[in-house]
Amino acid sequence: PGPPARRGCAEGRPPAFGFLFDIDGVLVRGSQVVPAAREAFRRLSDAGGRLRVPVVFLTNAGNCLREAKARELSQALGLQVSPEQVILSHSPLRLFSQFHPKCVLVAGQGPVEENARNLGFKHVVTIEALRKAYPLLDMVDQSRRPKELPPPTTDFPTIEGVVLFGEPVRWETSLQLIIDVLLSNGNPGAEPEGIPYPHLPVLACNMDLLWMAEAKMPRFGHGTFLLCLENIYKKVTGRELKYEALIGKPSTVTYHYAEYLIKEQAEKQGWKAPIRRLYAVGDNPMSDVYGANLYNNYLKSAQQNQVEAGVKRIPQAANPQTEDRVAVESCESILVC
Ligand code: G3P
Ligand code: MG
């Protein structure tokens, strides 16, 4: 049979729902695009290739700029994706402005410094810069030991917080240096003076223990790295490593941000109907499914509080099944994968 007739939004009615699409394991596997994903987006687009509903790409990846991910997706899906449609694991950190003036150590992969500055952080130190300033700290790989003793660094800034974007490349180096920073209260070159506790604020993004790339079995994610860090900290200090914030899916703050971007997109398109529902498509039960349910419950209790406070409830769609048929039709090819 030919492609189904376009319905819903194509009939001139503005969309009352939006989509949150996970990327890895749903739209792509490593560098390979999932063929059903292209078809789903063809169905979600009009004849001119423009999306008929607001869409946000919600990934726990954080090793690139939003612009780069948007370019990658445009190419993979055959449509124009803008950076404003992409939420990386660390994107909501732009809302954490109280940390932006602090000097922070940022760990992860890819353009970590540029990402941190784009999010609003003013004073950024990378693991590499810290390693260069204090070359005696990184000793696991013997081949990286300095041949000659370097002169001591005296002008390195005191670190006031740690931001973990995603899994780094050399885990042993990052684990050692992050622990050093926490144990030295941000001055790993100084003489140790007991264990500072509470430790410096730690903001972590992407709790995925595992994720799907090209391999048949899932790969270690940043959640596995965090597990190592937490356990080392506990073993060394006897105390818990506590996060100031954990963001990325399944955290509510990430879904809040996604909803905000969906509504902003609908507004920019001039779609007048209020967005009443969000459909989240994902592959990770602990991240995508748990996160969507968590946000749903959060919204329900917020609505309940409003009703209790005497605020008028937003009327629900008359017939959501019919109204959202385009959504289900567009995604059923991905959902059965
Ligand atoms: O590092 C990427 C991974 O943890 C998950 O990506 O797109 O499935 O949220 P995604
Ligand atoms: Mg995924």
Side-chain angles (χ1 to χ4, degrees), residues 22-25 58-62 167 206 208 210-211 221-222 249 283 288:
D22 175 36
I23 299 179
D24 291 305
L58 191 57
T59 179
N60 266 351
E167 62 274 20
N206 181 7
D208 290 355
L210 302 167
W211 66 288
H222 191 216
K249 297 172 289 184
D283 66 324
D288 306 302

Side-chain angles (χ1 to χ4, degrees), residues 288-299:
D288 306 302
V289 179
Y290 186 77
N293 286 332
L294 199 66
Y295 192 53
N296 218 14
N297 290 336
Y298 161 82
L299 291 178

